[in-house]
Amino acid sequence: KRITMKQHVFCTLLILIFCSFAVVYSYHSIDDYGGVPNVNNNSAARQNSIALQNAFLAANSSSDKTVLVPSNNDYFIFDVQVYNVDNITFQIDGNLIASNNITAWPKPNDVNHTLAVFYLNNTRNFVMTGNGTFDGQGYDWWVKVFLTTIDQRPHLVVIQVSENVTITNLLFKNSPQYHILAQNIKDFFVADIRIIVDVEKQKELYRKFDMFELVNDIEIPVFPLNTDGIDPSGTNVLIENVYIENFDDAVAVKPTNANGVFSKCSENMVIRNSVVAFGVGLTIGSVPPSEMNCVRNILFENITMHHPIKAIYIKTNPGNSGDGIIENITYRNINGDLPLWYPMWIGPQQQRQPGSAGTGCSFFYPIIDKCPTQPRVPIRNITLENIKFREGLTLPGVILCDPKVPCSGFNFTNVDNHGFFIVQKDYVCKNVVDSYSSNNNPSVGCF
């Protein structure tokens, strides 16, 4: 029987529709490999971790390259480890939730890699995206560190020795430690994600353990520890259109040294067009001396900061051997309202973990004049253009360099920094040479 043209067209359309659905819906779901949705116990969390790892193995050896966490479901997990996969898309449309049964987690010294809820190593062309949430349930971990000073927390996502990695669209929240740590990477792109630390939930735990500091009868919580937003090291990084509210470093560019795989310096990075609330810095570092630890050619641009604890933050770290360098760093078009501590800090890191002696730099500097500088990590060629801060509380900022190896090549233009400034009205600025200042208010006295 002869087929008419209309029948031929109709059959062709049916085939095309079938093929398009086959392409769109080709994936390896966690459910297909034994995933257990919506059950919160150790057994389900272990099973879900194994199911995800098996889904990645299957995707890596097949033509269907998508691993799926389905929508409308919660999947509790322990650590998931993924090695040596290429051209994979990790589609998270449901919710991945880290088990908060701390005693059931492996200890950092029990694993041969940086402990993380999701660990990715030696990967090329990897995409993590979707409409879902990656929840670290960090509250109990933070409380444990404060109560015991024992710190064995996992990060939420760790990516090591990988290239062409993309993260988009997801919500990351309440990591026990860093939210996204990308080490020794090349061609790393992050866009349109949110990173949130839920302080209200944290307050409930602090009340339970009576951990509030009382200041004039006002409850002031001890904030979470090291819940950094995005910490990259390597080369060729673009981070844009992100929202971060995390009470720690929002984006902290970490150094790379002579042992780097893709580069010997953390370099060629752009962080732009983003919003940060209650952050501790658009950060370089910390950079301790080592086998020539290096950060250079970094641009922060077009970023709004609400209530920054610190805003512009460049920090060295103690150490008595090795060398390092921080150079060619630009901050452009940065706006901040109501800075809570230092709108700007360039100098030694202020840090003291529970149970540790800290870096030696007082959190109350310059009221307490104790902050040893670092001669082994010079800071040079720092540019600030079109910076505006309003209603700061303490002082305009601190630029504290070493007298033997002073900072050099600074260029501050149109830095408008206003506030109540109850500590002092001008910058603390020491040991800066060969630098330029134009149209800044207040002026930078030591340039």
Side-chain angles (χ1 to χ4, degrees):
K1 184 179 178 180
R2 192 167 185 177
I3 298 175
T4 66
M5 179 61 71
K6 184 181 290 187
Q7 289 172 322
H8 178 75
V9 171
F10 180 72
C11 291
T12 302
L13 285 173
L14 284 177
I15 293 170
L16 289 173
I17 291 170
F18 175 80
C19 290
S20 66
F21 272 91
V23 171
V24 171
Y25 292 103
S26 296
Y27 50 70
H28 298 267
S29 170
I30 183 176
D31 292 343
D32 297 334
Y33 296 87
V36 183
N38 307 314
V39 176
N40 183 11
N41 59 39
N42 289 348
S43 176
R46 291 192 180 97
Q47 181 61 35
N48 288 333
S49 298
I50 294 169
L52 268 181
Q53 289 174 182
N54 288 338
F56 277 106
L57 289 173
N60 197 47
S61 60
S62 77
S63 59
D64 300 330
K65 294 293 188 178
T66 298
V67 173
L68 176 68
V69 176
S71 60
N72 302 316
N73 284 323
D74 296 339
Y75 295 87
F76 292 85
I77 58 175
F78 287 110
D79 58 320
V80 175
Q81 305 166 33
V82 179
Y83 294 84
N84 308 320
V85 299
D86 296 330
N87 306 308
I88 298 293
T89 295
F90 187 16
Q91 182 82 21
I92 305 173
D93 288 333
N95 301 313
L96 283 180
I97 305 173
S99 170
N100 63 349
N101 187 344
I102 294 175
T103 58
W105 270 82
K107 305 297 185 289
N109 57 357
D110 294 336
V111 296
N112 59 2
H113 61 264
T114 304
L115 186 61
V117 183
F118 182 73
Y119 177 81
L120 188 67
N121 185 284
N122 192 31
T123 294
R124 287 153 298 280
N125 306 321
F126 187 92
V127 176
M128 178 184 288
T129 190
N131 300 308
T133 297
F134 205 154
D135 187 348
Q137 292 203 106
Y139 333 106
D140 295 297
W141 294 91
W142 307 329
V143 169
K144 180 184 177 184
V145 175
F146 282 119
L147 290 177
T148 67
T149 73
I150 297 171
D151 191 351
Q152 298 173 324
R153 295 171 293 160
H155 304 295
L156 194 58
V157 175
V158 171
I159 304 163
Q160 293 180 329
V161 195
S162 296
E163 55 184 314
N164 196 18
V165 174
T166 296
I167 301 177
T168 62
N169 299 331
L170 295 163
L171 168 62
F172 300 85
K173 69 178 186 178
N174 298 323
S175 176
Q177 201 164 185
Y178 298 170
H179 285 80
I180 300 173
L181 174 62
Q183 299 175 307
N184 246 320
I185 50 151
K186 178 183 178 183
D187 300 329
F188 182 50
F189 176 57
V190 180
D192 302 303
I193 69 168
R194 291 181 296 149
I195 295 175
I196 304 291
V197 168
D198 183 354
V199 172
E200 293 305 314
K201 180 69 174 180
Q202 181 188 345
K203 287 179 181 179
E204 294 176 15
L205 286 172
Y206 287 157
R207 291 189 184 99
K208 175 181 176 181
F209 290 99
D210 194 24
M211 292 182 61
F212 277 95
E213 299 284 347
L214 291 179
V215 180
N216 296 328
D217 296 322
I218 299 174
E219 292 180 335
I220 305 295
V222 181
F223 288 118
L225 291 167
N226 299 116
T227 50
D228 290 18
I230 306 168
D231 288 10
S233 65
T235 185
N236 299 345
V237 173
L238 175 59
I239 299 168
E240 62 182 0
N241 303 322
V242 301
Y243 178 85
I244 300 175
E245 183 176 332
N246 67 324
F247 301 89
D248 217 302
D249 298 297
V251 175
V253 179
K254 301 299 186 184
T256 301
N257 60 26
N259 298 314
V261 175
F262 301 111
S263 67
K264 308 305 178 186
C265 183
S266 286
E267 60 188 356
N268 305 331
M269 302 189 187
V270 175
I271 301 94
R272 67 188 182 192
N273 304 336
S274 296
V275 177
V276 175
F278 295 101
V280 189
L282 306 171
T283 303
I284 302 296
S286 63
V287 180
S290 181
E291 298 179 65
M292 199 53 193
N293 262 342
C294 174
V295 179
R296 69 179 174 220
N297 301 340
I298 311 297
L299 171 63
F300 295 93
E301 185 174 41
N302 302 332
I303 297 174
T304 298
M305 306 186 78
H306 301 299
H307 310 287
I309 301 165
K310 287 179 180 170
I312 292 170
Y313 192 15
I314 299 175
K315 51 184 175 179
T316 62
N317 222 21
N320 298 316
S321 63
D323 296 288
I325 184 69
I326 299 171
E327 63 180 355
N328 304 336
I329 312 299
T330 298
Y331 295 86
R332 181 183 297 130
N333 301 334
I334 309 297
N335 290 283
D337 58 81
L338 290 168
L340 300 176
W341 196 6
Y342 303 97
M344 182 191 311
W345 180 282
I346 301 174
Q349 179 174 215
Q350 295 171 298
Q351 185 184 50
R352 184 169 180 241
Q353 296 287 98
S356 73
T359 62
C361 182
S362 171
F363 283 105
F364 297 100
Y365 185 87
I367 298 171
I368 297 176
D369 189 11
K370 181 182 179 183
C371 192
T373 54
Q374 173 54 274
R376 292 181 173 274
V377 184
I379 303 173
R380 62 193 185 205
N381 303 335
I382 308 300
T383 299
L384 273 62
E385 297 177 358
N386 303 327
I387 310 297
K388 184 176 289 187
F389 294 117
R390 288 287 180 269
E391 300 185 61
L393 293 178
T394 58
L395 71 163
V398 171
I399 305 169
L400 185 57
C401 305
D402 189 78
K404 295 180 180 179
V405 185
C407 297
S408 64
F410 284 23
N411 187 335
F412 286 17
T413 303
N414 297 330
V415 179
D416 194 12
N417 194 346
H418 289 279
F420 305 102
F421 298 149
I422 59 176
V423 175
Q424 65 180 62
K425 303 298 183 183
D426 55 355
Y427 291 93
V428 173
C429 187
K430 297 182 179 181
N431 307 312
V432 180
V433 300
D434 301 327
S435 295
Y436 175 78
S437 174
S438 174
N439 196 31
N440 302 309
N441 189 8
S443 63
V444 187
C446 70
F447 281 19

